[in-house]
């Protein structure tokens, strides 16, 4: 049996997944920690998420 690991897996180790609840429909969207400074749209309703208002992003 081969137990190979994907080389990219180690690089993603420090990444955290934040959960941002849509202010409009309440759907929880997963946002990676390195994408917090990008714009995100809710996967449920397409509303533009304001990640600065997410609990997840407040230090
Ligand atoms: Zn939504």
């Amino acid at each position: 049996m081969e137990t190979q690991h994907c080389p990219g897996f180690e690089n993603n180790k420090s990444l955290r997944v934040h959960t941002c609840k849509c202010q409009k429909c309440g759907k929880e969207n997963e946002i990676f920690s390195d994408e917090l400074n990008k714009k995100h749209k809710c996967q449920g309703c397409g509303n533009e998420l304001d990640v600065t208002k997410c609990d997840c992003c407040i230090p």
Side-chain angles (χ1 to χ4, degrees):
M1 243 193 191
E2 287 186 40
T3 51
Q4 273 189 331
H5 290 285
C6 176
F9 182 77
E10 290 292 316
N11 293 334
N12 292 334
K13 236 177 160 184
S14 59
L15 269 184
R16 286 185 183 179
V17 180
H18 296 279
T19 305
C20 183
K21 214 172 193 179
C22 175
Q23 284 101 39
K24 205 171 178 181
C25 73
K27 180 178 174 63
E28 291 183 343
N29 294 269
E30 287 184 345
I31 298 174
F32 289 102
S33 56
D34 70 335
E35 294 184 329
L36 286 175
N37 54 355
K38 294 180 185 175
K39 282 188 177 180
H40 294 274
K41 279 191 176 179
C42 173
Q43 292 177 347
C45 68
N47 179 46
E48 194 168 291
L49 294 171
D50 188 353
V51 291
T52 60
K53 287 182 181 171
C54 296
D55 295 340
C56 65
C57 310
I58 301 171

